[in-house]
Amino acid sequence: MYAKNIWKDITEEKKKAIFEFGKDYIDYLTKGKTERLAAAETEAIAIKNGFVKAEDAKELKPGTKVYFTNMSKNIAMYIIGKRPITEGIRILGAHIDSPRLDLKQNPLYESNGFALLDTHYYGGVKKYQYVTIPLALRGVVCKKDGTVVDVNIGDDEGDPVVGISDLLIHLSGDQMKKTGDKLIEGEALDVTVGSIPLEGEEKDAVKANVLKFLKEKYDIEEEDFLSAEIEVVPAGPARDYGLDRSMVAGYGHDDRVCAYASLRAILDVEVPEYTSCCILVDKEEIGSVGATGAQSLFFENTIAHLLQASGDTNYFSLRKAMENSRMLSSDVSAGFDPLFPEVNESKNAAYLNRGIVFNKYTGRGGKGGSNDANPEYVAWVRKVMDENNIYFQTAELGKVDQGGGGTIAYILGNYNMNVIDAGISVLNMHAPMEIVAKADVYEAYLAYRAFLLA
Ligand code: MN
Ligand code: MN
C-alpha cells in the first residue's frame, strides 16, 4: 500500500494492536536512554524469548536462536534458517546511540557558588535546545578495581534532575542578535549539579559537597570520572503525544524506534528460510566509527562464528554469506512538518502515519556519501511490501541542496550486499523531544517481519 494513510479503512483489531505496540515501545524507549541501556534491555527481551548467547549454543540448526554482544553497546541476534548461511542472511540493522551531551573526562568545577559539570556534545544537536529542560545523568563509572558503577541521577523515582541555565530574556539583548548556532556555545553547555558548600571546607566547598554525595551514593572519587561514560540526557519517561494519543513523545527515537521494531520483528520468527539477523550498533551519530560502530569487524566476526559453528571454515564462505545477504538499514526519516513545509519537496517527503519509509538514497549535495540502492533490489522490496499489504512510502531527506544526512547503509553495502535505507518518520529529529506516530512504529514492525520471512 503505497503512500496511504494507515488510519483510513483500519480494522478495530489493528487499531488495538497499534496502541498495544505503542505502549510496549514507550517502555523500551524509557528504559533505553543510552546505547548501553538499550543493548541491555534488548538482551533481556531476547533471553526472555528464547535466545541464548552464541558461545553457549550447543549446535546450530534451523530455528536456533543466538545472540552476540559487543562491549555492552552492540547486540546481534540471529535465527538460523533452513538454507545454508552462505546463501545469505536477511539483515535488519539499526543504531541505538542518540545525540546528547557527554561529560568531559575532567568535568567537575565550582564557579560563583555553583558546582557544574562540563560537557562535550555528541552527534548533531541544536545546542540551544538543551537549556532550561530537566536533564538526567545516565551512564557508567569504571573503577580501577574492575567494578562498573551504574549512574542514574534524574530518572529514578524521587530523583532530583539537573539542567543547563540560559540567560534571562531581560538581559538577552546581545544574545538574541546571534545566529542559532552561536546562541548557546558548546562550552556553555555546563550542567548545574549543586549549590550547598561542604561545612568546614574553605576552597571549592560546593564542589567538595558534590564529591561527598558521589562518594556516598556511588563510592566514586573525582579521579574516577577519567574512566566514566556519563551521558546527559532529557529526564523523564517517553509518553503519549496528541489528544488522540496517536504519537509518542520521547528522547532517542533516532534510532531506538527502528531498533525496537526490528527486535520485535525477529522475535516473531520461528524457522526462517534464510537466516534472520537483527543487529543494533552504536556510534552512528558520529560516523559509525570505532569498535562498537557499524564499521567495526564485530558484525563480520559474528557471521564467521556462525559459519565455524556450523562446520564451515572456508574463508570464502564468509564473503559469500555477506554478498548474498539482503539488508534493511533502518534509520529514522525526516517527517513532513506542517510548520516547516519549505524544506521538503512534497512528492518525495516522508509523512507520519503513512507507514515505513524507504530511502533509495540519502547523502547530501548530489547524493554525496550515500548508499544508492539498486532498482532491482527496490523492486524486490516493493513486491515483499505489497504481497504483505504493508503501508510504505518513499522519501528523500529534504529538498535537493537543503541539507542531508547519512546512515549505516553504505558500510554494509561495502560487502557487496543489497541494502536499502528504511525507517520511521520522525518530527523534531535530534531534539530532546522527538515525535513518532504509533501507527508507523507498528507498520515498520510488520514490514521488518515480512522482510525476514521473504
Ligand atoms: Mn539515525
Ligand atoms: Mn541521527
Side-chain angles (χ1 to χ4, degrees):
M1 241 94 65
Y2 175 65
K4 292 203 173 61
N5 189 298
I6 297 169
W7 293 101
K8 293 198 176 132
D9 309 315
I10 194 171
T11 61
E12 280 307 313
E13 195 190 346
K14 183 159 177 177
K15 265 190 213 168
K16 213 175 135 225
I18 288 172
F19 283 111
E20 268 171 24
F21 199 91
K23 236 173 113 196
D24 293 344
Y25 171 54
I26 284 174
D27 185 53
Y28 179 83
L29 188 64
T30 297
K31 286 178 179 156
K33 287 248 180 116
T34 68
E35 54 280 6
R36 278 175 190 264
L37 292 166
E41 181 61 14
T42 304
E43 184 179 0
I45 293 171
I47 292 168
K48 231 182 267 168
N49 284 273
F51 283 78
V52 297
K53 262 206 155 103
E55 64 218 43
D56 298 335
K58 286 189 190 71
E59 60 164 340
L60 297 182
K61 55 174 199 282
T64 303
K65 300 176 179 181
V66 295
Y67 73 90
F68 301 81
T69 56
N70 182 30
M71 301 179 185
S72 309
K73 297 175 187 176
N74 300 157
I75 180 162
M77 303 159 62
Y78 290 90
I79 303 178
I80 305 301
K82 291 177 200 155
R83 296 184 189 229
I85 292 166
T86 46
E87 288 191 28
I89 301 170
R90 298 277 188 266
I91 304 164
L92 299 173
H95 70 90
I96 47 175
D97 61 314
S98 296
R100 64 194 184 237
L101 315 177
D102 285 340
L103 291 195
K104 287 186 182 181
Q105 263 191 297
N106 188 5
L108 186 60
Y109 71 97
E110 177 166 339
S111 178
N112 299 288
F114 293 99
L116 297 113
L117 291 166
D118 215 327
T119 68
H120 194 142
Y121 64 97
Y122 172 96
V125 299
K126 287 179 160 179
K127 298 174 199 96
Y128 65 79
Q129 292 180 331
Y130 267 83
V131 298
T132 70
I133 58 169
L135 296 170
L137 303 172
R138 307 295 304 264
V140 293
V141 177
C142 300
K143 301 208 291 181
K144 282 195 290 184
D145 65 5
T147 52
V148 177
V149 184
D150 275 304
V151 172
N152 176 3
I153 299 170
D155 272 334
D156 266 345
E157 181 100 12
D159 262 6
V161 294
V162 293
I164 300 167
S165 53
D166 191 8
L167 197 53
L168 60 167
I169 183 70
H170 316 68
L171 298 179
S172 294
D174 289 341
Q175 188 198 33
M176 296 301 274
K177 292 191 191 94
K178 295 180 181 174
T179 52
D181 60 329
K182 295 274 187 311
L183 211 49
I184 298 290
E185 304 267 5
E187 279 298 352
L189 290 173
D190 293 358
V191 182
T192 304
V193 290
S195 66
I196 298 178
L198 183 65
E199 223 176 294
E201 197 78 13
E202 282 301 313
K203 200 175 162 284
D204 287 349
V206 180
K207 175 182 164 179
N209 203 37
V210 167
L211 285 170
K212 180 169 168 268
F213 167 84
L214 292 174
K215 179 76 187 163
E216 281 166 9
K217 179 157 179 168
Y218 294 115
D219 192 25
I220 54 175
E221 319 279 342
E222 184 172 12
E223 261 190 31
D224 291 326
F225 277 120
L226 293 176
S227 47
E229 266 182 6
I230 297 177
E231 305 180 9
V232 185
V233 295
R239 56 210 298 191
D240 286 348
Y241 190 68
L243 302 186
D244 55 9
R245 299 179 183 271
S246 60
M247 297 166 274
V248 178
Y251 161 69
H253 286 311
D254 178 5
D255 185 34
R256 295 173 195 129
V257 68
C258 297
Y260 185 68
S262 298
L263 163 65
R264 285 289 297 266
I266 200 171
L267 295 183
D268 279 1
V269 173
E270 284 303 328
V271 189
E273 190 69 20
Y274 294 91
T275 294
S276 299
C277 170
C278 168
I279 166 123
L280 305 183
V281 294
D282 176 32
K283 297 286 184 283
E284 192 276 342
E285 298 294 356
I286 58 166
S288 298
V289 288
T292 57
Q295 299 191 46
S296 162
L297 288 182
F298 164 66
F299 180 55
E300 200 177 318
N301 290 347
T302 62
I303 299 172
H305 178 116
L306 295 181
L307 285 165
Q308 195 181 38
S310 334
D312 186 344
T313 53
N314 185 339
Y315 172 77
F316 192 59
S317 294
L318 176 61
R319 297 284 147 240
K320 263 170 63 184
M322 302 303 269
E323 190 168 76
N324 289 331
S325 289
R326 295 178 185 191
M327 181 181 193
L328 295 184
S329 168
S330 289
D331 207 342
V332 292
S333 253
F336 186 94
D337 185 336
L339 302 187
F340 300 96
E342 65 279 5
V343 299
N344 286 295
E345 185 267 287
S346 60
K347 28 182 225 315
N348 289 287
Y351 296 85
L352 267 67
N353 290 311
R354 290 193 193 171
I356 187 167
V357 187
F358 292 103
N359 304 101
K360 185 174 178 300
Y361 45 85
T362 57
R364 61 173 69 229
K367 302 188 179 181
S370 163
N371 164 74
D372 198 346
N374 293 315
E376 291 88 345
Y377 182 52
V378 181
W380 178 79
V381 170
R382 280 175 59 205
K383 179 168 125 334
V384 174
M385 294 302 118
D386 279 340
E387 281 174 359
N388 291 279
N389 295 316
I390 305 290
Y391 286 81
F392 75 97
Q393 50 185 327
T394 56
E396 295 192 16
L397 183 54
K399 274 183 184 165
V400 175
D401 287 340
Q402 184 72 42
T407 63
I408 63 170
Y410 74 96
I411 300 160
L412 284 301
N414 289 343
Y415 288 106
N416 203 26
M417 70 173 76
N418 272 304
V419 186
I420 185 167
D421 279 291
I424 293 166
S425 313
V426 56
L427 296 185
N428 309 347
M429 197 190 292
H430 284 204
M433 183 180 82
E434 299 178 313
I435 308 297
V436 296
K438 289 180 185 173
D440 292 332
V441 185
Y442 184 72
E443 203 68 20
Y445 144 75
L446 296 179
Y448 295 149
R449 189 174 67 183
F451 167 84
L452 291 178
L453 298 174

